[in-house]
Every structure is written in structure tokens, then in C-alpha cells.
């Protein structure tokens, strides 16, 4: 068999392997995919209010509560009533109903909480691949390794934790564990909607980790793994291009002898 023919077979084998890998590749997802988009659609009357208007609504609520206090002094009552009337006048001028806005505050709070925790039901039970930054958690009692995957470096240490539907509790059955805090990694495994809460020490103190998902990890790809994979792909591509340029990338029917 000639050297050229051997090279062709190697490139072809690599191409077939790549095709097969693509055909059986786990579903790649990004962080936005984890959010239940239907939970994001709701009427939020506070969204378009200015800071001053939100402050006026709070003033109305707090002033009314203070005026119900029988022990309030006359001077304090006069000042509170003045603040209340001024806030109501400003809201009325902006065509805003203070009473209705106050009635909506807990409804909106519940909807916002749901939007921050609601997981995408279409991903429940699916095998997915997700890239992020890994945070080492304490092992479980049986020695199982646990990491938390977050979308941005610094979350849970220098930055607050993300919403629960933007955090994944990953169960790692192998011997891999992050070498550094917020190690870049790509994890593959079965994704399940399962709420979890765990507190442990990260950098400056204890952090509450609330996750809407659990990932049963079957494959871990570190930066080094991804770089090696890219190098292999680059090698196959460069060889194929050189053979095409030389006019020798043909099968036996086109005159290439073995």
C-alpha cells in the first residue's frame, strides 16, 4: 500500500469517526436553555417604575403602617401624613394607583421567584453537554464527588450565587475533581430537574447553593482535553487540505494505486 493511500485511509477513518461522533453526540445546551421561558412571561407593574416612584410606593405603605400606631406623637404624625400625601400626589400625577401597586407586591415577588427557579421541563431526563465553571463541594457520605457548575467565573465567591435554574449540582462518579476554584470544564451526563440546597465554605465564608438541576456526570472535559481534541481535529483537517491541494485525495477508481 502506498504512503498516499495510507494517508487517505487515515483521513477517511478520522472523517468517519467524526461523523459517527456527531451522530451520537449528546445534546449540547447553553445556560439560557435551562430556564423555563414560560415562567419569564408575566405582568410586572414595577418593572417600568422609576426609583423615585418605587420609593413613593414604599413611603405610602410605610406611612400608613406608622399612622396606625397609637403611640405616635403629634409631631411625628404630622410629618408622616405630609410625607404620605406628597407621595400619593406624585403617584397620582403619574397616573399610578398606589393601592393597586401595593396589592401586587407579593404576587410579583412570587412570580419573580418562580422565574428564578423554574427549570426547563423539556430537558428533564435528557443527556446533555454543558460548559461552565466548576466549584468543588464536600463529598457525600459514601465518598461521591460533588461539584457545582455555574455560568460565570467568580459566582458564589466574589459574586453572589446565580439563580437556582442557573446552577447545576453535578454528581461525579470518577476520580476527577476541580484543580482550582471556578475551573473551566465541560460536563456530559443525564440532567434531572431536582431541587437541592447545600451550604458550605467558599473563600470568605459559608454560601447557600440552591440548584434546580442535578447532573449525573458520565464525561468530564477539561481545558486540556478540549485543546487536545482541537489539535486532533486540526491535524486531520490540515492533512485532508494538503492532499486535496496535491490532487491526490481520490479513491482507487480515480487512479490511486495501492
Amino acid at each position: 500500500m502506498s504512503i498516499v493511500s495510507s494517508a487517505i485511509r487515515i483521513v477517511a477513518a478520522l472523517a468517519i469517526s467524526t461523523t459517527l461522533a456527531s451522530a451520537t453526540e449528546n445534546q449540547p445546551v447553553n445556560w439560557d436553555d435551562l430556564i423555563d421561558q414560560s415562567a419569564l412571561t408575566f405582568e410586572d407593574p414595577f418593572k417600568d417604575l422609576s426609583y423615585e416612584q418605587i420609593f413613593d410606593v414604599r413611603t405610602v405603605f410605610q406611612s400608613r403602617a406608622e399612622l396606625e400606631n397609637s403611640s405616635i406623637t403629634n409631631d411625628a404624625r404630622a410629618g408622616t401624613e405630609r410625607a404620605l400625601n406628597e407621595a400619593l400626589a406624585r403617584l397620582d400625577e403619574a397616573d399610578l394607583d398606589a393601592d393597586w401597586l401595593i396589592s401586587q407586591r407579593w404576587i410579583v415577588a412570587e412570580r419573580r421567584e418562580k422565574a428564578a427557579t423554574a427549570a426547563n421541563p423539556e430537558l428533564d431526563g435528557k443527556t446533555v453537554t454543558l460548559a461552565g465553571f466548576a466549584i468543588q463541594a464536600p463529598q457525600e457520605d459514601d465518598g461521591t464527588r460533588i461539584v457545582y457548575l455555574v455560568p460565570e467565573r467568580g459566582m458564589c465567591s466574589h459574586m453572589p450565587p446565580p439563580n437556582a435554574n442557573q446552577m447545576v449540582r453535578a454528581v461525579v462518579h470518577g476520580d476527577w475533581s476541580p484543580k482550582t476554584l471556578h475551573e473551566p470544564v465541560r460536563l456530559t451526563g443525564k440532567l434531572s430537574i431536582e431541587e437541592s440546597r447545600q451550604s458550605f465554605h467558599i473563600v470568605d465564608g459559608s454560601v447557600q447553593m440552591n440548584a434546580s438541576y442535578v447532573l449525573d456526570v458520565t464525561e468530564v472535559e477539561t481545558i486540556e482535553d478540549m485543546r487536545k481534541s482541537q489539535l486532533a481535529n486540526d491535524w486531520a483537517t490540515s492533512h485532508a487540505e494538503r492532499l486535496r491541494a496535491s490532487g491526490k485525495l481520490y479513491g482507487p477508481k480515480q487512479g490511486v494505486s495501492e
Side-chain angles (χ1 to χ4, degrees):
M1 181 182 296
S2 69
I3 295 176
V4 171
S5 181
S6 298
I8 292 172
R9 292 178 183 275
I10 292 172
V11 173
L14 286 169
I16 292 171
S17 298
T18 302
T19 302
L20 290 174
S22 299
T24 59
E25 187 177 2
N26 298 310
Q27 179 180 350
V29 297
N30 59 46
W31 289 94
D32 286 342
D33 295 330
L34 302 185
I35 301 173
D36 181 0
Q37 297 298 320
S38 66
L40 300 180
T41 306
F42 63 90
E43 183 180 358
D44 185 348
F46 299 96
K47 181 179 63 175
D48 297 325
L49 297 186
S50 67
Y51 173 81
E52 290 78 11
Q53 290 169 338
I54 291 175
F55 184 82
D56 280 340
V57 173
R58 186 169 60 214
T59 298
V60 170
F61 178 78
Q62 292 177 341
S63 296
R64 286 173 173 170
E66 290 173 11
L67 291 172
E68 291 178 0
N69 185 356
S70 59
S71 63
I72 188 173
T73 65
N74 290 334
D75 288 344
R77 178 178 294 277
T80 300
E81 288 177 344
R82 183 170 57 254
L84 171 61
N85 291 331
E86 290 174 352
L88 284 170
R90 286 190 294 269
L91 292 170
D92 185 62
E93 185 179 357
D95 198 25
L96 294 172
D97 187 336
D99 292 324
W100 182 77
L101 287 169
I102 290 172
S103 72
Q104 293 297 301
R105 68 193 191 282
W106 290 117
I107 296 173
V108 172
E110 290 175 1
R111 289 172 178 170
R112 287 178 177 177
E113 182 178 359
K114 181 179 179 181
T117 59
N120 185 351
E122 294 182 0
L123 295 179
D124 191 24
K126 297 291 182 64
T127 299
V128 304
T129 298
L130 178 66
F133 298 91
I135 300 172
Q136 180 71 61
Q139 293 185 5
E140 294 188 334
D141 294 339
D142 62 0
T144 301
R145 298 175 187 270
I146 302 295
V147 302
Y148 282 87
L149 202 64
V150 295
E152 295 182 30
R153 187 189 298 274
M155 284 181 163
C156 307
S157 56
H158 306 299
M159 296 162 51
N163 291 335
N165 57 13
Q166 293 289 276
M167 183 183 293
V168 175
R169 177 180 170 90
V171 180
V172 183
H173 299 288
D175 58 1
W176 173 83
S177 61
K179 297 177 182 177
T180 61
L181 181 64
H182 297 112
E183 179 178 345
V185 68
R186 188 162 59 192
L187 302 180
T188 296
K190 181 181 178 181
L191 188 67
S192 301
I193 296 176
E194 181 181 330
E195 293 184 0
S196 63
R197 298 174 181 268
Q198 182 179 11
S199 296
F200 56 91
H201 188 277
I202 303 176
V203 184
D204 297 324
S206 181
V207 178
Q208 179 72 32
M209 310 290 277
N210 299 331
S212 296
Y213 290 98
V214 171
L215 182 68
D216 194 36
V217 179
T218 56
E219 182 180 356
V220 178
E221 295 176 273
T222 63
I223 285 292
E224 291 77 10
D225 296 330
M226 286 183 263
R227 284 174 179 167
K228 290 176 184 177
S229 175
Q230 186 59 47
L231 286 173
N233 291 337
D234 290 346
W235 180 89
T237 301
S238 64
H239 273 268
E241 289 175 350
R242 284 199 294 270
L243 287 169
R244 287 193 186 96
S246 67
K248 297 178 180 178
L249 188 55
Y250 302 105
K253 292 184 179 180
Q254 282 72 36
V256 176
S257 59
E258 297 190 7

